[in-house]
Amino acid sequence: MKKLNLFDYIVILTVVAIIAVIGIKIASNGPMPLTTQSTKSYQSALVSIRVESIRKVSTESFHIGDTVLSTETNGIVGTIEKLEVLPFMDKIEKLDGKVVLAEVPERYVLIITVKSSLLERETGYFAEGITEIKANSDFRIYTKHVATTGKVKEIIFE
Amino acid sequence: MKIINSKGQLFEKVSIIDVLIILILLAALVFAVSLFSKEDSLSTGSQQTITYQYETLSVPESFVSQLIIDTPVFNSSKNYGVGILKDFSVKPYELVTKNLENGTFTKEVVPEQFTVTMTVEAVVTVDQYHVWANQESIKVGTVFPIKGKGFASNGVIINVQGVQ
């Protein structure tokens, strides 16, 4: 066999790089916490999520004690501590130009308070170190029985 | 004996290029196996028979006439089965409209349009946080397109019964 030339070395390096990428992909299957719990401290917090224009049957599918997960990360957000159901009000601009709020039939607002363990980093707060929680951001969540989309209303640290 | 000699042979026996190609093929095989074993996790968990109600809005009479009890229904974009149609109910479709004079919302019946609620029975796999009918997540609020032999529509799951 002839001596190795520059092209052979390029091929060898490329193959090693591909093996390294595949190895890293296998090793990192599943959600990866941004850091380990042993090196950073978690804080207990209450995260309020406001879901608007939801049907009654959906409000009845959430229960105190249910585990809430994020649809994006499939990571646990926390446990439901409190549920509050309110009528859903929406804007109407009347013929006289006035804007009023009126109740929408058969639609409700659900405020879900979730007890969560949040990791504080420079860029934000992360539930269980995985799911970023930001006030006023849209948030797709689910439990075993129901899925919906809401908005994070507030984060209160205990 | 050098590990890699000047001829590119490992321990003077096998070409290093051949060894690296074999290694990358093995790594690709392991990766493919890990992918397939992840999909198999859908089949873990207990099997149960449940029923759920699926609601579709604003459909015409021709849709209703195609509904046949005890026939299979499918996710119409992904073509997997989501259960058997066991019952259905039909009511006039009502649209929420704005009364600009009073500043209120009212529900008005839309002529020739209907709301259909289908009761579907499905054998599901239940794990800690999910109920799967095939690859469809069965939860109140799940939206997916449905089809049967002669009908198709978009809708949402509005109720689930029988999950343990």
Side-chain angles (χ1 to χ4, degrees), chain A residues 55-120:
Chain A
R55 297 165 188 252
K56 189 170 172 56
V57 67
S58 295
T59 69
E60 292 168 348
S61 298
F62 285 95
H63 306 101
I64 290 173
D66 283 354
T67 300
V68 176
L69 299 96
S70 158
T71 305
E72 263 83 38
T73 65
N74 285 315
I76 291 174
V77 176
T79 309
I80 296 178
E81 282 268 302
K82 186 180 163 191
L83 295 163
E84 190 181 356
V85 182
L86 303 164
F88 176 53
M89 312 290 281
D90 204 356
K91 301 182 287 293
I92 295 181
E93 184 181 342
K94 290 170 62 177
L95 289 173
D96 62 6
K98 285 188 182 163
V99 176
V100 297
L101 285 177
E103 189 171 334
V104 179
E106 298 177 11
R107 290 284 166 166
Y108 301 88
V109 169
L110 176 66
I111 298 175
I112 307 167
T113 303
V114 178
K115 189 177 178 92
S116 188
S117 182
L118 299 185
L119 174 69
E120 183 181 351

Short mmCIF file of all heavy atoms in Angstrom, two decimals, chain A residues 55-120:
data_model
loop_
_atom_site.label_atom_id
_atom_site.label_comp_id
_atom_site.label_asym_id
_atom_site.label_seq_id
_atom_site.Cartn_x
_atom_site.Cartn_y
_atom_site.Cartn_z
N ARG A 55 -63.13 26.12 26.78
CA ARG A 55 -64.46 25.56 27.03
C ARG A 55 -64.59 25.09 28.48
O ARG A 55 -63.59 24.78 29.13
CB ARG A 55 -64.69 24.34 26.16
CG ARG A 55 -64.69 24.57 24.68
CD ARG A 55 -64.56 23.23 23.99
NE ARG A 55 -64.37 23.39 22.57
CZ ARG A 55 -65.31 23.10 21.67
NH1 ARG A 55 -66.49 22.65 22.05
NH2 ARG A 55 -65.07 23.26 20.38
N LYS A 56 -65.82 24.94 28.93
CA LYS A 56 -66.07 24.50 30.30
C LYS A 56 -65.49 23.11 30.54
O LYS A 56 -64.89 22.85 31.58
CB LYS A 56 -67.58 24.48 30.57
CG LYS A 56 -67.94 24.24 32.03
CD LYS A 56 -69.41 24.48 32.25
CE LYS A 56 -69.87 24.09 33.63
NZ LYS A 56 -69.15 24.72 34.72
N VAL A 57 -65.64 22.20 29.56
CA VAL A 57 -65.16 20.83 29.76
C VAL A 57 -63.63 20.82 29.93
O VAL A 57 -63.08 19.99 30.64
CB VAL A 57 -65.63 19.91 28.60
CG1 VAL A 57 -64.95 20.30 27.29
CG2 VAL A 57 -65.36 18.47 28.92
N SER A 58 -62.96 21.75 29.29
CA SER A 58 -61.50 21.83 29.45
C SER A 58 -61.15 22.34 30.84
O SER A 58 -60.20 21.85 31.46
CB SER A 58 -60.89 22.75 28.39
OG SER A 58 -61.06 22.20 27.10
N THR A 59 -61.90 23.31 31.35
CA THR A 59 -61.61 23.81 32.71
C THR A 59 -61.81 22.68 33.72
O THR A 59 -61.07 22.60 34.70
CB THR A 59 -62.52 24.99 33.11
OG1 THR A 59 -63.86 24.54 33.28
CG2 THR A 59 -62.47 26.10 32.08
N GLU A 60 -62.77 21.80 33.45
CA GLU A 60 -63.05 20.70 34.38
C GLU A 60 -62.05 19.55 34.25
O GLU A 60 -62.06 18.63 35.07
CB GLU A 60 -64.48 20.18 34.14
CG GLU A 60 -65.53 21.20 34.54
CD GLU A 60 -66.93 20.83 34.05
OE1 GLU A 60 -67.05 19.89 33.21
OE2 GLU A 60 -67.90 21.48 34.48
N SER A 61 -61.20 19.60 33.25
CA SER A 61 -60.22 18.52 33.05
C SER A 61 -58.91 18.77 33.80
O SER A 61 -58.07 17.88 33.87
CB SER A 61 -59.94 18.34 31.55
OG SER A 61 -61.11 17.96 30.87
N PHE A 62 -58.75 19.99 34.30
CA PHE A 62 -57.58 20.29 35.15
C PHE A 62 -57.97 20.03 36.60
O PHE A 62 -59.08 20.37 37.01
CB PHE A 62 -57.16 21.75 35.00
CG PHE A 62 -56.45 22.06 33.70
CD1 PHE A 62 -57.15 22.56 32.62
CD2 PHE A 62 -55.09 21.85 33.57
CE1 PHE A 62 -56.52 22.85 31.43
CE2 PHE A 62 -54.44 22.13 32.38
CZ PHE A 62 -55.15 22.64 31.30
N HIS A 63 -57.05 19.43 37.39
CA HIS A 63 -57.34 19.17 38.80
C HIS A 63 -56.15 19.57 39.65
O HIS A 63 -54.98 19.47 39.20
CB HIS A 63 -57.63 17.67 39.02
CG HIS A 63 -58.71 17.14 38.13
ND1 HIS A 63 -58.42 16.41 36.99
CD2 HIS A 63 -60.05 17.26 38.17
CE1 HIS A 63 -59.55 16.09 36.38
NE2 HIS A 63 -60.55 16.59 37.06
N ILE A 64 -56.44 20.02 40.86
CA ILE A 64 -55.36 20.35 41.79
C ILE A 64 -54.56 19.07 42.08
O ILE A 64 -55.15 18.00 42.30
CB ILE A 64 -55.93 20.97 43.08
CG1 ILE A 64 -56.48 22.36 42.75
CG2 ILE A 64 -54.88 21.05 44.18
CD1 ILE A 64 -57.22 23.03 43.87
N GLY A 65 -53.22 19.21 42.03
CA GLY A 65 -52.37 18.04 42.23
C GLY A 65 -51.87 17.42 40.93
O GLY A 65 -50.93 16.62 40.95
N ASP A 66 -52.50 17.78 39.80
CA ASP A 66 -52.05 17.24 38.50
C ASP A 66 -50.65 17.77 38.18
O ASP A 66 -50.34 18.93 38.47
CB ASP A 66 -53.00 17.65 37.37
CG ASP A 66 -54.28 16.82 37.36
OD1 ASP A 66 -54.37 15.86 38.16
OD2 ASP A 66 -55.17 17.14 36.56
N THR A 67 -49.87 16.96 37.49
CA THR A 67 -48.55 17.39 37.02
C THR A 67 -48.73 18.08 35.67
O THR A 67 -49.41 17.55 34.78
CB THR A 67 -47.61 16.19 36.87
OG1 THR A 67 -47.46 15.57 38.13
CG2 THR A 67 -46.23 16.63 36.36
N VAL A 68 -48.13 19.25 35.53
CA VAL A 68 -48.18 20.02 34.28
C VAL A 68 -46.85 19.89 33.57
O VAL A 68 -45.78 20.02 34.20
CB VAL A 68 -48.49 21.51 34.55
CG1 VAL A 68 -48.44 22.32 33.27
CG2 VAL A 68 -49.85 21.65 35.22
N LEU A 69 -46.90 19.63 32.26
CA LEU A 69 -45.67 19.51 31.47
C LEU A 69 -45.70 20.50 30.32
O LEU A 69 -46.77 20.96 29.91
CB LEU A 69 -45.52 18.09 30.92
CG LEU A 69 -45.44 16.98 31.97
CD1 LEU A 69 -46.80 16.32 32.22
CD2 LEU A 69 -44.44 15.92 31.55
N SER A 70 -44.52 20.82 29.79
CA SER A 70 -44.42 21.71 28.64
C SER A 70 -44.50 20.88 27.36
O SER A 70 -43.81 19.86 27.23
CB SER A 70 -43.09 22.47 28.68
OG SER A 70 -42.74 22.94 27.40
N THR A 71 -45.33 21.33 26.41
CA THR A 71 -45.46 20.61 25.14
C THR A 71 -44.17 20.71 24.34
O THR A 71 -43.79 19.78 23.63
CB THR A 71 -46.62 21.19 24.32
OG1 THR A 71 -47.81 21.16 25.12
CG2 THR A 71 -46.87 20.42 23.05
N GLU A 72 -43.47 21.84 24.45
CA GLU A 72 -42.23 22.03 23.67
C GLU A 72 -41.10 21.12 24.14
O GLU A 72 -40.41 20.52 23.36
CB GLU A 72 -41.76 23.48 23.75
CG GLU A 72 -42.19 24.33 22.58
CD GLU A 72 -43.59 24.85 22.75
OE1 GLU A 72 -43.95 25.21 23.89
OE2 GLU A 72 -44.35 24.89 21.79
N THR A 73 -40.92 21.06 25.46
CA THR A 73 -39.75 20.34 25.98
C THR A 73 -40.11 18.97 26.55
O THR A 73 -39.22 18.16 26.80
CB THR A 73 -39.08 21.14 27.11
OG1 THR A 73 -39.99 21.23 28.22
CG2 THR A 73 -38.68 22.52 26.66
N ASN A 74 -41.45 18.71 26.76
CA ASN A 74 -41.89 17.51 27.47
C ASN A 74 -41.30 17.43 28.87
O ASN A 74 -41.26 16.34 29.47
CB ASN A 74 -41.56 16.23 26.68
CG ASN A 74 -42.50 16.05 25.50
OD1 ASN A 74 -43.70 16.22 25.63
ND2 ASN A 74 -41.94 15.74 24.36
N GLY A 75 -40.82 18.56 29.36
CA GLY A 75 -40.29 18.60 30.72
C GLY A 75 -41.38 18.98 31.71
O GLY A 75 -42.34 19.68 31.36
N ILE A 76 -41.23 18.53 32.94
CA ILE A 76 -42.22 18.86 33.98
C ILE A 76 -42.09 20.33 34.36
O ILE A 76 -40.99 20.84 34.56
CB ILE A 76 -42.00 17.96 35.22
CG1 ILE A 76 -42.38 16.52 34.89
CG2 ILE A 76 -42.81 18.45 36.41
CD1 ILE A 76 -42.07 15.53 35.99
N VAL A 77 -43.23 21.02 34.41
CA VAL A 77 -43.26 22.42 34.84
C VAL A 77 -43.51 22.48 36.34
O VAL A 77 -42.87 23.25 37.06
CB VAL A 77 -44.34 23.21 34.08
CG1 VAL A 77 -44.43 24.65 34.59
CG2 VAL A 77 -44.06 23.19 32.58
N GLY A 78 -44.45 21.68 36.82
CA GLY A 78 -44.75 21.66 38.24
C GLY A 78 -46.07 20.99 38.52
O GLY A 78 -46.60 20.26 37.67
N THR A 79 -46.62 21.27 39.70
CA THR A 79 -47.87 20.65 40.15
C THR A 79 -48.92 21.75 40.35
O THR A 79 -48.60 22.81 40.88
CB THR A 79 -47.63 19.93 41.49
OG1 THR A 79 -46.52 19.07 41.34
CG2 THR A 79 -48.84 19.09 41.89
N ILE A 80 -50.15 21.46 39.96
CA ILE A 80 -51.20 22.48 40.08
C ILE A 80 -51.55 22.69 41.55
O ILE A 80 -51.89 21.76 42.27
CB ILE A 80 -52.46 22.07 39.29
CG1 ILE A 80 -52.13 22.00 37.80
CG2 ILE A 80 -53.60 23.06 39.53
CD1 ILE A 80 -53.29 21.55 36.92
N GLU A 81 -51.48 23.97 41.96
CA GLU A 81 -51.80 24.34 43.35
C GLU A 81 -53.19 24.96 43.45
O GLU A 81 -53.86 24.82 44.45
CB GLU A 81 -50.81 25.40 43.83
CG GLU A 81 -49.48 24.89 44.23
CD GLU A 81 -49.42 24.56 45.72
OE1 GLU A 81 -49.66 25.46 46.54
OE2 GLU A 81 -49.13 23.40 46.03
N LYS A 82 -53.57 25.69 42.37
CA LYS A 82 -54.83 26.43 42.46
C LYS A 82 -55.40 26.58 41.06
O LYS A 82 -54.65 26.71 40.07
CB LYS A 82 -54.55 27.80 43.07
CG LYS A 82 -55.77 28.64 43.38
CD LYS A 82 -55.34 29.99 43.99
CE LYS A 82 -56.46 30.99 43.92
NZ LYS A 82 -56.04 32.35 44.24
N LEU A 83 -56.74 26.59 40.97
CA LEU A 83 -57.43 26.82 39.70
C LEU A 83 -58.51 27.86 39.91
O LEU A 83 -59.24 27.82 40.89
CB LEU A 83 -58.07 25.51 39.20
CG LEU A 83 -57.11 24.38 38.83
CD1 LEU A 83 -57.84 23.05 38.76
CD2 LEU A 83 -56.42 24.68 37.50
N GLU A 84 -58.59 28.80 38.98
CA GLU A 84 -59.62 29.85 39.09
C GLU A 84 -60.28 30.00 37.73
O GLU A 84 -59.60 30.18 36.71
CB GLU A 84 -58.95 31.17 39.50
CG GLU A 84 -59.93 32.25 39.88
CD GLU A 84 -59.22 33.55 40.26
OE1 GLU A 84 -57.98 33.58 40.30
OE2 GLU A 84 -59.93 34.54 40.50
N VAL A 85 -61.61 29.90 37.71
CA VAL A 85 -62.36 30.01 36.45
C VAL A 85 -63.13 31.33 36.45
O VAL A 85 -63.83 31.64 37.42
CB VAL A 85 -63.33 28.82 36.28
CG1 VAL A 85 -64.07 28.93 34.96
CG2 VAL A 85 -62.59 27.50 36.36
N LEU A 86 -62.98 32.07 35.37
CA LEU A 86 -63.66 33.37 35.25
C LEU A 86 -64.38 33.42 33.91
O LEU A 86 -63.98 32.73 32.97
CB LEU A 86 -62.65 34.51 35.31
CG LEU A 86 -61.76 34.58 36.55
CD1 LEU A 86 -60.57 35.50 36.30
CD2 LEU A 86 -62.57 35.07 37.73
N PRO A 87 -65.41 34.27 33.78
CA PRO A 87 -66.01 34.42 32.45
C PRO A 87 -65.00 35.04 31.50
O PRO A 87 -64.15 35.85 31.92
CB PRO A 87 -67.19 35.38 32.69
CG PRO A 87 -67.30 35.54 34.16
CD PRO A 87 -66.04 35.11 34.80
N PHE A 88 -65.09 34.68 30.21
CA PHE A 88 -64.20 35.27 29.22
C PHE A 88 -64.85 36.52 28.63
O PHE A 88 -65.96 36.45 28.09
CB PHE A 88 -63.87 34.26 28.12
CG PHE A 88 -63.04 34.83 27.01
CD1 PHE A 88 -61.84 35.48 27.27
CD2 PHE A 88 -63.44 34.70 25.68
CE1 PHE A 88 -61.07 36.02 26.25
CE2 PHE A 88 -62.67 35.22 24.65
CZ PHE A 88 -61.49 35.88 24.93
N MET A 89 -64.17 37.63 28.77
CA MET A 89 -64.69 38.90 28.26
C MET A 89 -63.85 39.32 27.05
O MET A 89 -62.62 39.20 27.06
CB MET A 89 -64.58 39.99 29.34
CG MET A 89 -65.10 39.58 30.71
SD MET A 89 -66.89 39.41 30.78
CE MET A 89 -67.39 41.12 30.90
N ASP A 90 -64.52 39.82 26.02
CA ASP A 90 -63.78 40.27 24.85
C ASP A 90 -64.26 41.67 24.44
O ASP A 90 -65.35 42.09 24.82
CB ASP A 90 -63.96 39.28 23.69
CG ASP A 90 -62.82 39.36 22.69
OD1 ASP A 90 -61.92 40.22 22.86
OD2 ASP A 90 -62.82 38.56 21.73
N LYS A 91 -63.46 42.33 23.64
CA LYS A 91 -63.76 43.72 23.26
C LYS A 91 -64.79 43.78 22.14
O LYS A 91 -64.78 42.96 21.23
CB LYS A 91 -62.48 44.43 22.77
CG LYS A 91 -61.37 44.48 23.77
CD LYS A 91 -60.18 45.24 23.21
CE LYS A 91 -59.42 44.48 22.14
NZ LYS A 91 -58.75 43.29 22.70
N ILE A 92 -65.68 44.75 22.21
CA ILE A 92 -66.58 45.07 21.11
C ILE A 92 -66.54 46.57 20.91
O ILE A 92 -66.70 47.33 21.87
CB ILE A 92 -68.03 44.63 21.40
CG1 ILE A 92 -68.14 43.11 21.51
CG2 ILE A 92 -68.97 45.13 20.30
CD1 ILE A 92 -69.55 42.63 21.79
N GLU A 93 -66.35 46.98 19.66
CA GLU A 93 -66.46 48.41 19.36
C GLU A 93 -67.89 48.67 18.90
O GLU A 93 -68.33 48.17 17.87
CB GLU A 93 -65.47 48.82 18.27
CG GLU A 93 -65.50 50.33 18.02
CD GLU A 93 -64.55 50.78 16.93
OE1 GLU A 93 -63.61 50.00 16.60
OE2 GLU A 93 -64.74 51.87 16.40
N LYS A 94 -68.61 49.42 19.71
CA LYS A 94 -70.02 49.65 19.40
C LYS A 94 -70.15 50.65 18.25
O LYS A 94 -69.18 51.29 17.84
CB LYS A 94 -70.73 50.18 20.65
CG LYS A 94 -70.89 49.13 21.73
CD LYS A 94 -71.38 49.71 23.04
CE LYS A 94 -72.74 50.33 22.93
NZ LYS A 94 -73.22 50.82 24.24
N LEU A 95 -71.39 50.77 17.76
CA LEU A 95 -71.65 51.68 16.65
C LEU A 95 -71.34 53.12 16.99
O LEU A 95 -71.00 53.92 16.12
CB LEU A 95 -73.12 51.55 16.21
CG LEU A 95 -73.47 50.23 15.49
CD1 LEU A 95 -74.97 50.14 15.26
CD2 LEU A 95 -72.72 50.10 14.18
N ASP A 96 -71.46 53.44 18.28
CA ASP A 96 -71.16 54.82 18.68
C ASP A 96 -69.68 55.05 18.91
O ASP A 96 -69.27 56.12 19.36
CB ASP A 96 -71.97 55.19 19.93
CG ASP A 96 -71.61 54.32 21.13
OD1 ASP A 96 -70.66 53.51 21.01
OD2 ASP A 96 -72.29 54.40 22.17
N GLY A 97 -68.85 54.03 18.60
CA GLY A 97 -67.40 54.18 18.71
C GLY A 97 -66.83 53.78 20.05
O GLY A 97 -65.61 53.69 20.21
N LYS A 98 -67.70 53.53 21.03
CA LYS A 98 -67.19 53.15 22.35
C LYS A 98 -66.76 51.68 22.33
O LYS A 98 -67.40 50.85 21.70
CB LYS A 98 -68.26 53.36 23.42
CG LYS A 98 -68.50 54.80 23.79
CD LYS A 98 -69.42 54.93 24.97
CE LYS A 98 -69.65 56.41 25.26
NZ LYS A 98 -70.81 56.65 26.10
N VAL A 99 -65.70 51.39 23.05
CA VAL A 99 -65.23 50.01 23.17
C VAL A 99 -65.67 49.49 24.54
O VAL A 99 -65.37 50.11 25.57
CB VAL A 99 -63.70 49.92 23.02
CG1 VAL A 99 -63.23 48.48 23.25
CG2 VAL A 99 -63.27 50.39 21.64
N VAL A 100 -66.38 48.37 24.52
CA VAL A 100 -66.83 47.78 25.78
C VAL A 100 -66.32 46.34 25.87
O VAL A 100 -65.94 45.74 24.86
CB VAL A 100 -68.38 47.80 25.89
CG1 VAL A 100 -68.89 49.22 25.91
CG2 VAL A 100 -69.01 47.01 24.76
N LEU A 101 -66.31 45.82 27.08
CA LEU A 101 -65.99 44.41 27.28
C LEU A 101 -67.30 43.66 27.49
O LEU A 101 -68.13 44.09 28.28
CB LEU A 101 -65.10 44.23 28.51
CG LEU A 101 -63.64 44.63 28.37
CD1 LEU A 101 -62.91 44.46 29.69
CD2 LEU A 101 -62.95 43.80 27.29
N ALA A 102 -67.46 42.56 26.77
CA ALA A 102 -68.70 41.78 26.89
C ALA A 102 -68.35 40.32 27.09
O ALA A 102 -67.31 39.84 26.63
CB ALA A 102 -69.55 41.95 25.65
N GLU A 103 -69.21 39.62 27.81
CA GLU A 103 -68.98 38.21 28.11
C GLU A 103 -69.26 37.37 26.86
O GLU A 103 -70.28 37.54 26.20
CB GLU A 103 -69.91 37.78 29.25
CG GLU A 103 -69.61 36.40 29.79
CD GLU A 103 -70.39 36.09 31.05
OE1 GLU A 103 -70.78 37.02 31.79
OE2 GLU A 103 -70.63 34.89 31.28
N VAL A 104 -68.32 36.47 26.53
CA VAL A 104 -68.49 35.59 25.37
C VAL A 104 -69.19 34.32 25.85
O VAL A 104 -68.74 33.70 26.82
CB VAL A 104 -67.12 35.24 24.74
CG1 VAL A 104 -67.30 34.32 23.55
CG2 VAL A 104 -66.38 36.51 24.34
N PRO A 105 -70.27 33.93 25.20
CA PRO A 105 -71.02 32.76 25.66
C PRO A 105 -70.18 31.48 25.63
O PRO A 105 -69.44 31.24 24.68
CB PRO A 105 -72.17 32.64 24.65
CG PRO A 105 -72.23 33.93 23.95
CD PRO A 105 -70.88 34.55 24.02
N GLU A 106 -70.30 30.69 26.70
CA GLU A 106 -69.70 29.34 26.76
C GLU A 106 -68.19 29.33 26.63
O GLU A 106 -67.60 28.31 26.26
CB GLU A 106 -70.34 28.43 25.69
CG GLU A 106 -71.83 28.24 25.91
CD GLU A 106 -72.50 27.41 24.82
OE1 GLU A 106 -71.77 26.81 23.99
OE2 GLU A 106 -73.72 27.38 24.77
N ARG A 107 -67.57 30.43 26.95
CA ARG A 107 -66.11 30.50 26.94
C ARG A 107 -65.63 31.09 28.26
O ARG A 107 -66.29 31.99 28.81
CB ARG A 107 -65.60 31.37 25.79
CG ARG A 107 -65.83 30.71 24.43
CD ARG A 107 -64.83 29.62 24.20
NE ARG A 107 -65.20 28.74 23.08
CZ ARG A 107 -64.40 27.89 22.50
NH1 ARG A 107 -63.15 27.75 22.93
NH2 ARG A 107 -64.83 27.14 21.52
N TYR A 108 -64.48 30.60 28.74
CA TYR A 108 -64.03 30.98 30.07
C TYR A 108 -62.54 31.31 30.07
O TYR A 108 -61.81 30.98 29.14
CB TYR A 108 -64.29 29.83 31.07
CG TYR A 108 -65.76 29.47 31.15
CD1 TYR A 108 -66.30 28.54 30.28
CD2 TYR A 108 -66.60 30.11 32.07
CE1 TYR A 108 -67.66 28.23 30.33
CE2 TYR A 108 -67.95 29.82 32.11
CZ TYR A 108 -68.47 28.88 31.24
OH TYR A 108 -69.81 28.60 31.28
N VAL A 109 -62.12 31.96 31.15
CA VAL A 109 -60.70 32.16 31.43
C VAL A 109 -60.35 31.22 32.57
O VAL A 109 -61.09 31.14 33.56
CB VAL A 109 -60.42 33.62 31.85
CG1 VAL A 109 -59.01 33.75 32.41
CG2 VAL A 109 -60.61 34.56 30.67
N LEU A 110 -59.23 30.50 32.42
CA LEU A 110 -58.77 29.62 33.48
C LEU A 110 -57.39 30.10 33.91
O LEU A 110 -56.49 30.25 33.07
CB LEU A 110 -58.69 28.17 32.99
CG LEU A 110 -58.13 27.15 33.98
CD1 LEU A 110 -59.05 26.98 35.17
CD2 LEU A 110 -57.91 25.80 33.29
N ILE A 111 -57.25 30.37 35.20
CA ILE A 111 -55.92 30.74 35.71
C ILE A 111 -55.39 29.54 36.50
O ILE A 111 -56.00 29.13 37.49
CB ILE A 111 -55.99 32.00 36.57
CG1 ILE A 111 -56.48 33.16 35.70
CG2 ILE A 111 -54.62 32.33 37.16
CD1 ILE A 111 -56.71 34.45 36.44
N ILE A 112 -54.29 29.01 36.01
CA ILE A 112 -53.69 27.81 36.62
C ILE A 112 -52.46 28.26 37.40
O ILE A 112 -51.54 28.87 36.82
CB ILE A 112 -53.25 26.80 35.54
CG1 ILE A 112 -54.42 26.48 34.58
CG2 ILE A 112 -52.72 25.52 36.16
CD1 ILE A 112 -54.00 25.75 33.33
N THR A 113 -52.44 28.00 38.68
CA THR A 113 -51.25 28.31 39.49
C THR A 113 -50.49 27.02 39.71
O THR A 113 -51.02 26.05 40.27
CB THR A 113 -51.66 28.94 40.83
OG1 THR A 113 -52.44 30.11 40.57
CG2 THR A 113 -50.44 29.34 41.64
N VAL A 114 -49.25 27.02 39.25
CA VAL A 114 -48.41 25.81 39.29
C VAL A 114 -47.25 26.03 40.25
O VAL A 114 -46.55 27.05 40.15
CB VAL A 114 -47.86 25.50 37.87
CG1 VAL A 114 -46.95 24.28 37.91
CG2 VAL A 114 -49.00 25.28 36.89
N LYS A 115 -47.07 25.10 41.14
CA LYS A 115 -45.91 25.16 42.05
C LYS A 115 -44.74 24.53 41.31
O LYS A 115 -44.81 23.36 40.89
CB LYS A 115 -46.19 24.39 43.34
CG LYS A 115 -45.11 24.59 44.41
CD LYS A 115 -45.49 23.86 45.69
CE LYS A 115 -44.42 23.99 46.75
NZ LYS A 115 -44.63 25.13 47.64
N SER A 116 -43.69 25.32 41.14
CA SER A 116 -42.58 24.89 40.29
C SER A 116 -41.25 25.09 40.99
O SER A 116 -41.13 25.93 41.89
CB SER A 116 -42.63 25.69 38.99
OG SER A 116 -41.70 25.20 38.06
N SER A 117 -40.26 24.32 40.57
CA SER A 117 -38.90 24.48 41.08
C SER A 117 -38.09 25.13 39.95
O SER A 117 -37.87 24.51 38.91
CB SER A 117 -38.34 23.11 41.44
OG SER A 117 -37.05 23.23 41.97
N LEU A 118 -37.70 26.39 40.17
CA LEU A 118 -37.07 27.16 39.09
C LEU A 118 -35.58 27.35 39.33
O LEU A 118 -35.15 27.70 40.42
CB LEU A 118 -37.72 28.54 38.96
CG LEU A 118 -39.21 28.59 38.62
CD1 LEU A 118 -39.66 30.05 38.43
CD2 LEU A 118 -39.53 27.78 37.39
N LEU A 119 -34.84 27.13 38.24
CA LEU A 119 -33.40 27.38 38.28
C LEU A 119 -33.17 28.76 37.68
O LEU A 119 -33.60 29.03 36.55
CB LEU A 119 -32.68 26.32 37.46
CG LEU A 119 -31.17 26.52 37.30
CD1 LEU A 119 -30.47 26.32 38.63
CD2 LEU A 119 -30.61 25.56 36.26
N GLU A 120 -32.49 29.62 38.42
CA GLU A 120 -32.20 30.96 37.90
C GLU A 120 -30.86 30.96 37.18
O GLU A 120 -29.84 30.53 37.73
CB GLU A 120 -32.17 31.98 39.04
CG GLU A 120 -31.95 33.40 38.52
CD GLU A 120 -31.89 34.44 39.62
OE1 GLU A 120 -32.19 34.09 40.79
OE2 GLU A 120 -31.55 35.59 39.33
#
